[in-house]
Amino acid sequence: MSATSTLVFVHGFWHGSWCWSEVVPHVVAAGRPAVAVDMAGHGLYARRPRWFTGQPYNREAVRTEVSPVADVSLDDAAELLTSQVKRIGGGEPVTVVAHSAAGPVLTRVAQRTPELVAHAVYLSAYMPASDVPAAAYTRLPEAADDQVAPLLQGDPARTGALRLDLATDDAAYRQGLYEAFYGDVDPVLADAATGLLTPDGPIDIMLGTTTLTHDGWGSVRRTYLTCTRDMAIRPGVQAKFISEADAAFPDNPTSVVALDASHSPFLSMPGELAGVITPLG
């Protein structure tokens, strides 16, 4: 499969297709067709909780209100991405670049319809092993110092979401958002990006599992782009994804490219990121 297959970019939790807006022009300028799509429960598919725009600010509601995207499952997200891939590729395989929590969605799509995925590219993304939920990796010792966990609000079992308090004016909390996601991004750009985030990521996407087989996900070429300064998915966790995949499917080892970046290289180094991704077929 050649490097002329269309590139499909999928964002992670709380973001939207907008986060690729600095990358796609570089890719297209290099002659590669590319498009960014919204993941289920995000972007144009987002539904915001009442507290997010309610006045006055209700701290208790932030912690307890059931998310309007609580019913979005990994199945739902995979079905949406499959439909997007089919529409964009016209039935031909595409190269999918998944960031962060889009990883398990890409894995499910590649397992169920490997003929639609020419190359699975994980950008500091969850790449869980067979029958293991992505959420399990947040409890590993390698993830102990991640900076996202302290930002999460409420009990996901009650709210149905991994929730960020994007309505707060607490300066320390908002600095925490910057350090977790955008540590090497220009602060003005990071502030603009923070203003575009949505507060809830559907917890079921992180709790769902996929059974991986040699003729499914194991047959698809894959590349993992590590982010060595990532404070959301720590480098040790990224390394575990790669080692588990290679142990399970040694005949199809993961290609690895290291980026000296935080969790959001699409904002901190879009040209360099595009240069790495564009040749991937």
Side-chain angles (χ1 to χ4, degrees), residues 104 126 128 132-140 162 203 205-208:
Y126 289 95
V132 179
Y137 293 86
T138 67
R139 299 188 290 271
L140 295 176
L162 295 179
I203 186 60
I205 291 177
M206 293 290 286
L207 295 178

Side-chain angles (χ1 to χ4, degrees), residues 125-179:
Y126 289 95
M127 191 171 73
S130 186
D131 298 318
V132 179
Y137 293 86
T138 67
R139 299 188 290 271
L140 295 176
E142 294 91 337
D145 62 344
D146 91 73
Q147 294 189 12
V148 174
L151 300 171
L152 298 177
Q153 304 294 303
D155 179 1
R158 176 173 182 176
T159 64
L162 295 179
R163 174 168 287 168
L164 300 177
D165 184 0
L166 301 176
T168 184
D169 60 2
D170 182 278
Y173 184 89
R174 299 192 75 82
Q175 179 64 24
L177 290 171
Y178 174 78
E179 292 172 359

Side-chain angles (χ1 to χ4, degrees), residues 39-57:
M39 182 166 65
H42 297 79
L44 294 177
Y45 304 105
R47 302 190 298 280
R48 292 166 177 79
R50 292 185 300 275
W51 62 261
F52 185 54
T53 55
Q55 294 295 332
Y57 173 77

Side-chain angles (χ1 to χ4, degrees), residues 195-273:
L196 294 173
L197 298 176
T198 51
D200 288 350
I203 186 60
D204 278 356
I205 291 177
M206 293 290 286
L207 295 178
T209 64
T210 302
T211 300
L212 306 179
T213 63
H214 285 274
D215 59 352
W217 186 81
S219 69
V220 176
R221 189 163 30 142
R222 65 183 178 274
T223 294
Y224 200 102
L225 308 181
T226 65
C227 292
T228 61
R229 291 191 279 158
D230 196 329
M231 299 306 297
I233 300 180
R234 301 294 287 136
V237 179
Q238 298 172 49
K240 190 168 185 66
F241 294 137
I242 297 163
S243 63
E244 288 181 344
D246 290 353
F249 303 101
D251 295 336
N252 182 23
T254 310
S255 297
V256 180
V257 179
L259 299 172
D260 182 23
S262 71
H263 192 58
S264 303
F266 41 79
L267 296 180
S268 64
M269 52 173 65
E272 183 177 340
L273 178 60

